[in-house]
């Protein structure tokens, strides 16, 4: 039987024949190592871009230009009652009742109060109408406006010592609240 000789396959001229490097590694091993190195480099770049910081809204350069929001609580029960960017202690006060006058067009105001009664008060200049706001929990009168809620008015008024900035200073939480049971005596 005669052996037929096969012509050798030609390798395309654009692709060089695989060669073993001088170090003794196969081409597949070199490519695998290069691929792993490329993946590590990508992972390192990703880790370098992401840095975990304790970042809060106070750290933001955006909020530095905006006013700081303040939260106020009912002085009696400590219920969350008001959010505004105004400092109530630095606002002008009325001479008639000492209430802080907050200009609604100038400041952000979000009330967490229930609408109370309409009250008419006799003043030296005439009759004043107050649409009052009371605490959702205890019903203490906290604020008033000269017009009911949907109507626009220039000012909202907040009674002195009705709202506090620290919830822990509320009378109910301090244990210094005088209730009806403490006022009655058996003598």
């Amino acid at each position: 039987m005669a052996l037929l000789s096969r012509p050798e396959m030609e390798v395309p001229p654009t692709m060089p024949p695989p060669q073993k490097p001088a170090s003794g590694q196969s081409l597949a091993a070199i490519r695998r190592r290069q691929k792993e190195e490329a993946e590590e480099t990508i992972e390192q770049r990703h880790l370098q871009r992401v840095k975990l910081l304790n970042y809060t809204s106070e750290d933001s350069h955006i909020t530095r230009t905006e006013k700081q929001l303040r939260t106020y609580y009912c002085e009696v029960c400590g219920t969350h009652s008001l959010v505004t960017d105004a400092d109530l202690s630095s606002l002008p006060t009325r001479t008639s009742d000492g209430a802080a006058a907050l200009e609604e067009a100038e400041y952000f105001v979000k009330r967490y109060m229930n609408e109370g009664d309409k009250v008419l008060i006799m003043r030296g200049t005439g009759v004043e109408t107050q649409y009052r706001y009371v605490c959702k929990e205890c019903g203490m009168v906290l604020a008033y406006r000269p017009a009911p809620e949907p109507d626009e008015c220039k000012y909202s008024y907040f009674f002195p010592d009705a709202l506090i900035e620290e919830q822990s200073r509320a009378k109910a939480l301090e244990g210094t609240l005088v209730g009806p049971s403490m006022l009655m005596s058996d003598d």
Side-chain angles (χ1 to χ4, degrees), residues 37-49:
E37 288 174 0
E39 288 174 356
E40 286 178 17
T41 304
I42 291 171
E43 188 175 325
Q44 287 297 328
R45 286 184 193 156
H46 177 70
L47 291 176
Q48 288 173 352
R49 282 185 279 171

Side-chain angles (χ1 to χ4, degrees), residues 64-80:
R64 290 182 192 152
T65 60
E66 297 175 0
K67 294 180 181 179
Q68 187 73 19
L69 292 178
R70 297 172 179 267
T71 304
Y72 291 92
Y73 303 92
C74 173
E75 192 250 351
V76 173
C77 65
T79 300
H80 180 244

Side-chain angles (χ1 to χ4, degrees), residues 47-153:
L47 291 176
Q48 288 173 352
R49 282 185 279 171
V50 177
K51 288 186 177 180
L52 295 177
L53 299 174
N54 188 5
Y55 189 77
T56 64
S57 60
E58 285 91 19
D59 298 329
S60 173
H61 69 283
I62 296 170
T63 57
R64 290 182 192 152
T65 60
E66 297 175 0
K67 294 180 181 179
Q68 187 73 19
L69 292 178
R70 297 172 179 267
T71 304
Y72 291 92
Y73 303 92
C74 173
E75 192 250 351
V76 173
C77 65
T79 300
H80 180 244
S81 300
L82 176 72
V83 174
T84 182
D85 56 352
D87 181 8
L88 294 183
S89 62
S90 66
L91 292 176
T93 57
R94 295 187 68 190
T95 55
S96 58
D97 58 7
L102 185 138
E103 192 170 348
E104 291 186 0
E106 185 177 339
Y107 296 103
F108 170 79
V109 180
K110 175 65 178 159
R111 292 177 202 81
Y112 297 96
M113 308 171 192
N114 290 335
E115 291 184 23
D117 297 330
K118 173 184 173 182
V119 177
L120 300 173
I121 299 176
M122 186 62 129
R123 301 273 189 212
T125 58
V127 177
E128 177 183 348
T129 304
Q130 295 181 354
Y131 292 88
R132 295 199 170 177
Y133 290 93
V134 296
C135 175
K136 287 183 174 184
E137 286 294 317
C138 66
M140 178 178 169
V141 178
L142 303 173
Y144 63 91
R145 298 177 78 220
E149 184 58 44
D151 297 341
E152 289 187 23
C153 64

Side-chain angles (χ1 to χ4, degrees), residues 137-182:
E137 286 294 317
C138 66
M140 178 178 169
V141 178
L142 303 173
Y144 63 91
R145 298 177 78 220
E149 184 58 44
D151 297 341
E152 289 187 23
C153 64
K154 188 170 182 176
Y155 292 101
S156 282
Y157 300 96
F158 298 92
F159 286 109
D161 301 326
L163 297 168
I164 54 175
E165 284 193 74
E166 287 184 46
Q167 190 176 27
S168 61
R169 288 184 35 223
K171 300 295 183 198
L173 300 175
E174 288 179 349
T176 59
L177 182 66
V178 177
S181 62
M182 293 179 181

